Amino acid sequence: MGKETWLFVDSGHCPPFFNMALDEALLDWHSKGEIPPAIRFYGWDPATLSIGYFQRAKQEIDLEAVKRYGLGFVRRPTGGRAVLHEHELTYSVIVSEAHPDMPKTVTEAYRVISEGLVRGFRALGFEAYFAVPRTEAEREALRSPHSSVCFDTPSWYELVVEGRKVAGSAQTRQKGVILQHGSILLDMDEEKLFSLFKYPSDRVRERMQRSFKQKAVAINELRTVPVTYGEAKEAFHKGFEEGLGIRLEPYTLSPAQQAYVEELADRRYRSDEWNFKR
């Protein structure tokens, strides 16, 4: 019996509003049975700060700093904490909750989907593995994150290399479909990242930044020869095929689909009502 075929959407570097609209559109189309499951790779133009669905934009984010750096700003349809999308490969996975290979619980589905990430990191020569919160203190940190920064907060089945977090992912389930998307950091500007958030004092910011260095790392800090965006795409394309036991078939949006995504981007993800709703 042959491998199941999923769509592969390589949309390149797109504006933040289009990126989030396309992920939502793929979820919609899959929920209606118009497309099979899909995996998408993309980047961000301009570099963007995205915040989780439940985050409070004006209370947590230094919006003047976002403007000063010329960054885009958008609220994701998924939960989780804020992510600076700059030097990274971003992925999304769209698959039905009823898919026979998808566990019912969010955490177990995350583990299954993220097997593609593990295989991708290994294709690049890294010994990536899942670290599971074991103590009650670690589990409590999952329920009440103390930081607005994604890579500074723990998660179930944390993906780590050499003891530090290397990928941040978030998931939502809508219309019977799982959407998981996340960032694979190639490089990271920590000073820029930590200047984008509000803190009680400079001392608190400095302490959190020191702590962050011990918890998270961009993969090019771990390699003598840097990984390029193209090399990362190739490795994680292979990783998802192997990790999920599927075959990826390239897919290009039709003009009607492209127009739908643009309309959704304008209606929702460009709007202040959406981005500053909390």
Side-chain angles (χ1 to χ4, degrees), residues 103-122:
K104 299 305 179 189
T105 67
V106 171
T107 53
E108 289 303 316
Y110 174 80
R111 180 192 59 77
V112 169
I113 292 170
S114 296
E115 187 62 37
L117 299 177
V118 170
R119 300 293 185 98
F121 279 110
R122 290 177 180 170

Side-chain angles (χ1 to χ4, degrees), residues 86-100:
E86 191 168 24
H87 310 294
E88 67 172 52
L89 172 66
T90 315
Y91 78 91
S92 58
V93 176
I94 296 90
V95 61
S96 171
E97 290 182 276
H99 191 283

Side-chain angles (χ1 to χ4, degrees), residues 13 30 33 52 89 105 148 151 159 188 196 206 225 230 234:
H13 287 66
H30 186 47
L89 172 66
T105 67
S148 298
F151 282 78
L159 194 60
M188 178 167 44
L196 301 175
E206 289 165 4
V225 179
E234 185 178 344

Side-chain angles (χ1 to χ4, degrees), residues 33-246:
E34 295 175 4
I35 62 170
I39 288 177
R40 177 183 169 223
F41 287 172
Y42 56 103
W44 303 73
D45 184 16
T48 294
L49 185 74
S50 78
I51 61 172
Y53 180 80
F54 298 102
Q55 281 191 276
R56 300 167 300 169
K58 292 178 180 177
Q59 290 94 327
E60 298 181 41
I61 308 301
D62 185 340
L63 295 169
E64 287 302 313
V66 171
K67 289 180 183 176
R68 192 164 60 247
Y69 282 113
L71 300 174
F73 180 78
V74 70
R75 183 182 296 276
R76 300 188 306 271
T78 53
R81 316 305 290 168
V83 181
L84 175 58
H85 305 280
E86 191 168 24
H87 310 294
E88 67 172 52
L89 172 66
T90 315
Y91 78 91
S92 58
V93 176
I94 296 90
V95 61
S96 171
E97 290 182 276
H99 191 283
D101 293 336
M102 285 298 121
K104 299 305 179 189
T105 67
V106 171
T107 53
E108 289 303 316
Y110 174 80
R111 180 192 59 77
V112 169
I113 292 170
S114 296
E115 187 62 37
L117 299 177
V118 170
R119 300 293 185 98
F121 279 110
R122 290 177 180 170
L124 290 171
F126 297 107
E127 189 52 47
Y129 59 94
F130 293 119
V132 182
R134 300 183 187 282
T135 68
E136 183 53 37
E138 288 175 340
R139 288 190 286 272
E140 179 58 32
L142 292 172
R143 293 187 283 269
S144 306
H146 298 298
S147 173
S148 298
V149 186
C150 171
F151 282 78
D152 194 38
T153 57
S155 61
W156 284 102
Y157 294 115
E158 191 126 275
L159 194 60
V160 298
V161 170
E162 297 184 13
R164 289 192 283 176
K165 188 172 180 176
V166 291
S169 300
Q171 191 182 114
T172 187
R173 293 176 179 226
Q174 300 176 28
K175 304 175 184 177
V177 175
I178 299 168
L179 163 62
Q180 180 173 310
H181 53 194
S183 300
I184 300 160
L185 292 184
L186 304 182
D187 292 288
M188 178 167 44
D189 185 337
E190 291 173 10
E191 286 295 329
K192 182 187 291 187
L193 175 64
F194 276 84
S195 71
L196 301 175
F197 302 94
K198 293 181 176 179
Y199 301 94
S201 67
D202 287 342
R203 204 163 98 183
V204 170
R205 180 184 63 79
E206 289 165 4
R207 186 177 74 239
M208 295 186 76
Q209 189 169 346
R210 285 196 302 271
S211 172
F212 177 83
K213 283 179 175 286
Q214 298 171 354
K215 298 176 184 175
V217 66
I219 59 178
N220 281 339
E221 287 186 49
L222 303 174
R223 275 182 52 131
T224 305
V225 179
V227 177
T228 66
Y229 181 79
E231 289 169 339
K233 281 202 303 184
E234 185 178 344
F236 287 96
H237 183 284
K238 177 183 178 183
F240 276 112
E241 285 193 321
E242 291 180 352
L244 298 181
I246 59 175

